[in-house]
Amino acid sequence: MNSLAALRSALRALAANKLRSVLTMLGIIIGVGAVITMIAVGRGATERVQEQMKGLGSNIMLVLPGGVTAGGVRLGAQTGQALTEEDAYSIAREIPEVQVAAPTLRTGAQVVVGNTNWSTSIFGTTNDYFEAREWSLASGRQFEQAEIAGSAKVAIIGQTVAQQLFGDADPLDQVIRVKKVPVTIVGLLEKKGQNSMGQDQDDVVVVPISTYRNRVQGSSAGKLKRIGSVSVKVREGQDMKAVEESIKELLRQRFKVQPGADDPFSIRNLTEILQAQEASSRVMTMLLAAVAGISLVIGGIGIMNIMLVSVTERTREIGLRMAVGARGKDILTQFLIEAVTLSLIGGAIGIAIGGVATWAVGQFAGWQVSITASSIVLAAGFSAFVGIFFGFYPARRASQLLPIQALRYE
């Protein structure tokens, strides 16, 4: 008996009991569909974190003014001693592992061009900010040193601002008003998308930090030139923790912090935070897949159960086959092919249902999902393995029946 004949026999046996076969496949169908959907959801979450990491930039830290305690009450972040531009320049100058350290000021404002206006975030910074964030220009240029030194009325805008103010028109060399200050657009940033908090990173207008301080802010900054934060990019291959400690030690010296006293600043390792989120997403994917895999195991138990019933029902048939020359190996192959066929058909239906479920989750729940060929192959391979593993015992039991006893079975 060749494999093709065994396959035909298996299909006839399954077709003879259609309802029973469908109910047996149900566990496999649910299991495969769940595995594909859960892996797609988990992988989508991981890819979203990776996109956020790419958008944020690699090896980046954020230095913020710390909080103070007054009368036993902690007043929160950025209420303590402020950072200055010189602090940012000292970090870049005195710590060799730091590639750039960009001082940054930020506020929200309405920007206007003609009869169109848009509320956005205004950043005052240097060209080092774009290097720290690994944010390239789609068109135009960065700020010139003379523009940074002379508080020039120039700006670089994000994709969202360009779309809202100019539509599909070229925004370069256009003049917009930022807090009634006319500035000329000299650059358009590449699209970044949303950050980990769901905020649109492309909704931004960037001006030189001197322009922000002297024209947009409109108040005297004094000699200290206070800033809101410092974006620090660490060179590739350097230990982020060690660099963080170096920055902390330098700033404590500059702020003349006494031993044992709280730091008047805070350092956030943003890359480390996102890496932790990515690791959590991977663990969640594995857990979801494991839970879905339980359905496959339950489906396999159902296959074993129904195959044992089938062996019992077809004992006389097995005896007759053996009496006319079928070997034990032929009987084993026949029942094993039946189990695998049952499992693979269920797996194929499960793959289709999993694809539809994945699409529905992405379409209606709004989650980012990612279905891959590897997850489909994994689910199909596992369903075939379930058929072989759980179908082997009933098939072996059938192959070991004695012909004379099988023929006498009622």
Side-chain angles (χ1 to χ4, degrees):
M1 186 178 187
N2 57 38
S3 299
L4 184 60
L7 179 60
R8 291 198 192 97
S9 177
L11 292 174
R12 284 196 299 269
L14 296 177
N17 298 281
K18 294 183 180 66
L19 181 59
R20 188 172 72 180
S21 298
V22 170
L23 292 176
T24 303
M25 288 188 292
L26 199 57
I28 299 294
I29 293 171
I30 294 172
V32 171
V35 166
I36 289 177
T37 304
M38 294 301 99
I39 290 179
V41 170
R43 187 177 178 84
T46 302
E47 287 182 356
R48 181 173 179 81
V49 174
Q50 290 173 345
E51 289 173 4
Q52 291 169 356
M53 290 178 66
K54 185 178 179 181
L56 180 66
S58 60
N59 300 340
I60 190 169
M61 297 182 188
L62 194 64
V63 183
L64 299 168
V68 297
T69 301
V73 178
R74 301 187 69 182
L75 301 181
Q78 304 188 43
T79 56
Q81 184 173 350
L83 294 166
T84 67
E85 281 189 49
E86 186 55 35
D87 292 327
Y89 300 143
S90 294
I91 292 173
R93 185 174 59 247
E94 299 183 28
I95 301 177
E97 295 84 2
V98 171
Q99 184 172 330
V100 291
T104 307
L105 287 163
R106 178 181 181 179
T107 189
Q110 206 79 11
V111 292
V112 181
V113 55
N115 296 325
T116 306
N117 67 89
W118 180 251
S119 180
T120 186
S121 297
I122 313 299
F123 279 77
T125 186
T126 65
N127 290 329
D128 288 340
Y129 178 77
F130 305 119
E131 184 176 351
R133 294 287 309 279
E134 297 180 1
W135 206 346
S136 58
L137 294 176
S139 58
R141 62 174 176 83
Q142 293 187 350
F143 304 128
E144 297 175 354
Q145 289 303 316
E147 293 171 339
I148 296 175
S151 304
K153 298 177 183 179
V154 292
I156 298 173
I157 64 174
Q159 294 280 346
T160 300
V161 175
Q163 182 64 36
Q164 293 297 329
L165 294 181
F166 302 103
D168 296 329
D170 186 2
L172 292 184
D173 298 325
Q174 299 291 329
V175 177
I176 62 175
R177 281 178 290 150
V178 180
K179 285 192 173 182
K180 299 182 180 180
V181 178
V183 297
T184 302
I185 298 172
V186 297
L188 175 64
L189 292 165
E190 290 281 2
K191 188 174 181 63
K192 274 280 188 179
Q194 294 184 347
N195 62 15
S196 59
M197 302 298 293
Q199 298 171 335
D200 187 0
Q201 298 180 93
D202 301 307
D203 193 2
V204 63
V205 174
V206 183
V207 298
I209 192 167
S210 57
T211 304
Y212 181 100
R213 182 178 287 111
N214 299 327
R215 300 183 186 277
V216 177
Q217 195 175 38
S219 61
S220 175
K223 295 181 179 179
L224 292 178
K225 295 184 178 180
R226 300 179 186 276
I227 57 176
S229 63
V230 182
S231 297
V232 179
K233 181 176 177 61
V234 180
R235 298 183 189 277
E236 288 293 335
Q238 301 298 324
D239 186 348
M240 297 287 286
K241 279 292 183 183
V243 176
E244 184 178 340
E245 290 299 319
S246 298
I247 295 173
K248 185 179 296 185
E249 182 179 349
L250 173 63
L251 292 180
R252 286 179 67 89
Q253 291 175 0
R254 291 186 59 82
F255 291 169
K256 297 179 174 59
V257 180
Q258 297 298 320
D262 292 337
D263 295 330
F265 56 85
S266 61
I267 302 175
R268 298 180 183 175
N269 189 337
L270 303 183
T271 304
E272 189 176 75
I273 293 171
L274 289 178
Q275 285 174 343
Q277 290 181 359
E278 183 181 14
S280 298
S281 297
R282 287 175 178 168
V283 171
M284 185 58 65
T285 302
M286 293 176 63
L287 290 175
L288 291 173
V291 171
I294 293 174
S295 297
L296 279 174
V297 175
I298 294 173
I301 294 172
I303 288 177
M304 178 183 283
N305 180 50
I306 207 66
M307 292 306 297
L308 286 172
V309 172
S310 180
V311 169
T312 302
E313 289 179 344
R314 297 161 62 188
T315 300
R316 287 179 61 82
E317 176 192 332
I318 294 169
L320 183 60
R321 287 178 181 272
M322 287 184 169
V324 296
R327 295 167 298 174
K329 183 176 69 173
D330 298 323
I331 302 299
L332 176 69
T333 302
Q334 179 187 350
F335 280 90
L336 200 56
I337 287 178
E338 284 187 26
V340 173
T341 301
L342 199 64
S343 183
L344 286 178
I345 293 174
I349 298 173
I351 289 171
I353 291 176
V356 173
T358 299
W359 174 83
V361 168
Q363 191 74 16
F364 299 109
W367 295 358
Q368 181 168 335
V369 293
S370 176
I371 186 168
T372 62
S374 59
S375 64
I376 294 175
V377 171
L378 176 65
F382 195 59
S383 66
F385 172 77
V386 165
I388 295 171
F389 183 81
F390 288 97
F392 183 78
Y393 174 71
R396 183 171 177 78
R397 183 174 176 178
S399 68
Q400 291 180 335
L401 289 174
L402 296 176
I404 190 65
Q405 292 179 350
L407 287 170
R408 289 177 178 175
Y409 184 82
E410 294 296 335

